[in-house]
Amino acid sequence: MRIFTAALATETNTFSPICIDKRAFEASLYAPPGAHPETPTLCTAPITVGRQVAAEKGWQLIEGTAAWADPAGLVNRQTYEDLRDEIVDQLRAALPVDAVVLGLHGAMVADGYEDTEGDLLARIREIIGPDVLLCAELDPHSHLTDKRVAAADFFVFFKEFPHTDFVDRAKDLWRIAVDTLEGRVKPVMSVFDCRMIDVFPTSREPMRSFVDKLMRIEKDDADVLSLSVVHGFMAGDVPEMGTKMIAVTDGNREKGQALASALGLELFAKRGTYRMPEIDERRAVAEAIAATAGPVVIADMWDNPGGGTAGDATVVLEELLASGVADAAIGTIWDPMAVQICMAAGEGAEIPLRFGAKSAPGTGSPIDGTVKVINLVRNAEMRFGESFAPFGDAAHICYRGIDIILNSTRAQSFDPSLFSVMGIDPRSKKILVIKSTNHFFASFSKIASKILYCSAGTPYPNDPAKTPYRRARRDIWPIIADPHTPKRGAA
Ligand SMILES: [Zn+2]
């Protein structure tokens, strides 16, 4: 067997001020054929797992380019077209192939392309013809368009949010691909439109039980090859935004459709109950101060660079300063200009500095003051599961007793090691402020005495009922109350 694999992924918050070009991919991951590292990045596990599968089977894996950019705003048109054409040309050169196995995200929007993944998949289908297997692993924070469903044989999405299972789901993808190529199964994909948009953390109920149920069905029912919830991505203002349910069955479209509908309606029935309870910055800081033990983790959950924001909001910091808190550390505030100034000043220097809140409205004001430069690290990295996440040149500064990490590559706060690599012992602090919606949970819950989900300022369009969408559909909950019941009197 000859199998082509490649990855092209980012998550586009169309409301974000941070546009991205080729350099953003190079800063996160740009690996030409064969250059992909041994450990996977979020959306490139099909490549690393594919290497293992190919080695075991004695099959030939032809690697194309793998490119991943950290979530941000609109992708530069030329950048998308160049990366797409690079992969498509590599595939053409690799023909004939028996299968194409891709790592995608599913929420990339480029200037001029609302559905980049649909565009890429349709072009690949045209090249390989109708009979060659085409499948992909994707992030559930994505848009499942008709174009993608028409082009691919099947998709497998991560089930967990935080996405702790991207390697396991790549293994599912390859298991189904191998079984298909060896003639044991015929995957058929059925989709149900839940007509809603929500946030579905699996670290809490009711989503935890729902995902457990999906995995039980997959295990118990031989007809069911894979079940996925496409959560949808509310910060992507595109026509097919929303939550979808996928059932991949062994040739049983009718059963798959019935199962996807039943599960999708079950998901819809609990709408509005999935999100974690959110509190504002005043209550978060007050509760953290009142706690008897540390560290209390305040997640500045909507200023999450992982959701495409700048990650430079100062709203929670301002509240800490106003409350006179000193035993606190903040990781991180994105400000490459301030980092550059700190690097020039050197460790130990006390300098006047303006930092933070320079990118978007609703994120507080820049902080002006005299800071002490404590520690400088070039090309800093934190752990993320089995891999590493870079956060660029970084400066640990101290301002009015608070330890603050300024970074130059936007990165969400995945792991407490982001503090330790900067010389701050995260366990020794009463309060840790981090920028992440939920990915932090797996690692920070191991050291936190308490976790507070804080909605501070308006860095992210987190209320779909109020978000000024221009392109997204309006016929979904919570924009309308009950999209599944036709209006009385409607034709
Ligand atoms: Zn995601």
Side-chain angles (χ1 to χ4, degrees):
M1 294 282 175
R2 288 168 53 79
I3 303 173
F4 179 81
T5 186
L8 178 54
T10 189
E11 179 183 81
T12 304
N13 172 348
T14 58
F15 299 89
S16 168
I18 313 293
C19 292
I20 63 172
D21 59 5
K22 182 76 183 289
R23 278 176 304 178
F25 283 91
E26 285 162 352
S28 300
L29 174 75
Y30 174 73
H36 190 287
E38 273 176 47
T39 54
T41 301
L42 190 64
C43 296
T44 67
I47 295 175
T48 53
V49 173
R51 286 173 181 170
Q52 294 162 13
V53 171
E56 279 161 25
K57 291 274 169 192
W59 292 353
Q60 196 183 352
L61 186 74
I62 302 134
E63 292 185 20
T65 292
W68 154 259
D70 281 284
L74 201 67
V75 177
N76 175 286
R77 182 176 192 134
Q78 194 66 50
T79 299
Y80 166 65
E81 289 177 346
D82 287 350
L83 288 168
R84 175 198 67 195
D85 293 348
E86 190 173 318
I87 289 170
V88 163
D89 289 347
Q90 289 159 350
L91 170 62
R92 260 197 212 97
L95 293 176
V97 296
D98 299 286
V100 176
V101 181
L102 300 175
L104 302 172
H105 182 288
M108 183 194 293
V109 180
D111 183 17
Y113 294 89
E114 284 182 318
D115 181 11
T116 58
E117 289 86 354
D119 176 57
L120 176 66
L121 288 163
R123 280 167 198 264
I124 288 176
R125 176 57 78 195
E126 211 181 294
I127 293 169
I128 59 177
D131 300 326
V132 170
L133 180 69
L134 172 56
C135 60
E137 183 192 26
L138 297 98
D139 185 301
H141 299 116
S142 59
H143 317 290
L144 186 68
T145 66
D146 290 346
K147 191 172 184 178
R148 299 175 195 184
V149 175
D153 289 285
F154 71 96
F155 296 126
V156 172
F157 288 72
F158 316 149
K159 283 190 174 64
E160 303 292 342
F161 173 41
H163 303 321
T164 50
D165 64 332
F166 58 93
V167 174
D168 290 333
R169 297 293 81 80
K171 288 177 182 166
D172 289 352
L173 180 82
W174 273 99
R175 194 193 58 242
I176 300 167
V178 167
D179 285 348
T180 307
L181 292 170
E182 292 183 337
R184 284 186 292 277
V185 299
K186 284 197 178 73
V188 165
M189 183 158 54
S190 305
V191 178
F192 178 75
D193 182 352
C194 301
R195 289 175 163 248
M196 66 191 289
I197 184 69
D198 209 341
V199 178
F200 302 92
T202 58
S203 47
R204 64 191 304 275
E205 294 296 355
M207 199 56 184
R208 179 69 260 146
S209 294
F210 191 77
V211 167
D212 290 342
K213 179 177 177 173
L214 300 186
M215 292 198 277
R216 247 190 342 264
I217 297 170
E218 286 177 341
K219 209 166 135 235
D220 294 346
D221 191 331
D223 285 343
V224 179
L225 303 178
S226 170
L227 296 170
S228 291
V229 179
V230 186
H231 297 195
F233 186 58
M234 62 176 65
D237 189 6
V238 296
E240 289 172 84
M241 188 266 284
T243 306
K244 313 261 170 87
M245 184 75 220
I246 295 179
V248 181
T249 57
D250 184 7
N252 197 335
R253 191 173 296 280
E254 221 165 280
K255 182 171 177 177
Q257 200 55 56
L259 187 59
S261 307
L263 290 168
L265 285 173
E266 191 179 325
L267 197 69
F268 179 80
K270 294 204 169 91
R271 64 196 176 280
T273 67
Y274 296 100
R275 282 163 79 147
M276 31 278 184
E278 300 169 20
I279 54 178
D280 68 12
E281 67 277 8
R282 284 202 168 178
R283 224 179 107 193
V285 169
E287 282 190 25
I289 292 170
T292 49
V296 176
V297 171
I298 300 178
D300 189 357
M301 62 185 292
W302 295 114
D303 188 33
N304 170 20
T309 66
D312 68 349
T314 57
V315 179
V316 180
L317 172 57
E318 283 169 344
E319 186 61 28
L320 289 172
L321 292 168
S323 306
V325 173
D327 194 6
I330 297 186
T332 56
I333 292 175
W334 179 66
D335 194 330
M337 197 192 295
V339 170
Q340 215 176 344
I341 291 167
C342 292
M343 289 269 172
E347 287 173 4
E350 284 194 48
I351 56 168
L353 189 70
R354 164 169 285 200
F355 64 93
K358 293 167 183 167
S359 301
T363 59
S365 302
I367 305 289
D368 289 293
T370 300
V371 308
K372 181 157 189 183
V373 181
I374 309 288
N375 194 8
L376 297 167
V377 176
R378 291 217 182 259
N379 300 313
E381 286 186 325
M382 69 184 111
R383 292 204 71 88
F384 178 36
E386 287 164 33
S387 51
F388 290 90
F391 56 103
D393 292 348
H396 165 197
I397 60 169
C398 188
Y399 176 60
R400 286 170 54 188
I402 297 177
D403 291 290
I404 300 160
I405 299 168
L406 304 175
N407 60 323
S408 50
T409 297
R410 295 165 43 257
Q412 85 169 289
S413 315
F414 288 118
D415 188 274
S417 59
L418 87 92
F419 291 101
S420 36
V421 299
M422 298 306 298
I424 300 166
D425 175 5
R427 289 171 195 268
S428 73
K429 292 290 169 188
K430 174 77 182 291
I431 302 173
L432 297 174
V433 178
I434 58 168
K435 307 241 183 213
S436 175
T437 310
N438 204 33
H439 279 129
F440 71 93
F441 187 87
S443 56
F444 277 93
S445 61
K446 290 180 190 146
I447 67 160
S449 66
K450 191 174 190 173
I451 287 173
L452 301 170
Y453 288 92
C454 176
S455 177
T458 53
Y460 185 90
N462 62 21
D463 183 354
K466 290 187 189 149
T467 300
Y469 293 115
R470 289 181 304 127
R471 299 287 300 150
R473 53 202 292 219
R474 314 288 308 173
D475 61 343
I476 59 173
W477 181 89
I479 298 167
I480 61 170
D482 188 0
H484 289 289
T485 311
K487 270 202 192 100
R488 231 172 268 167

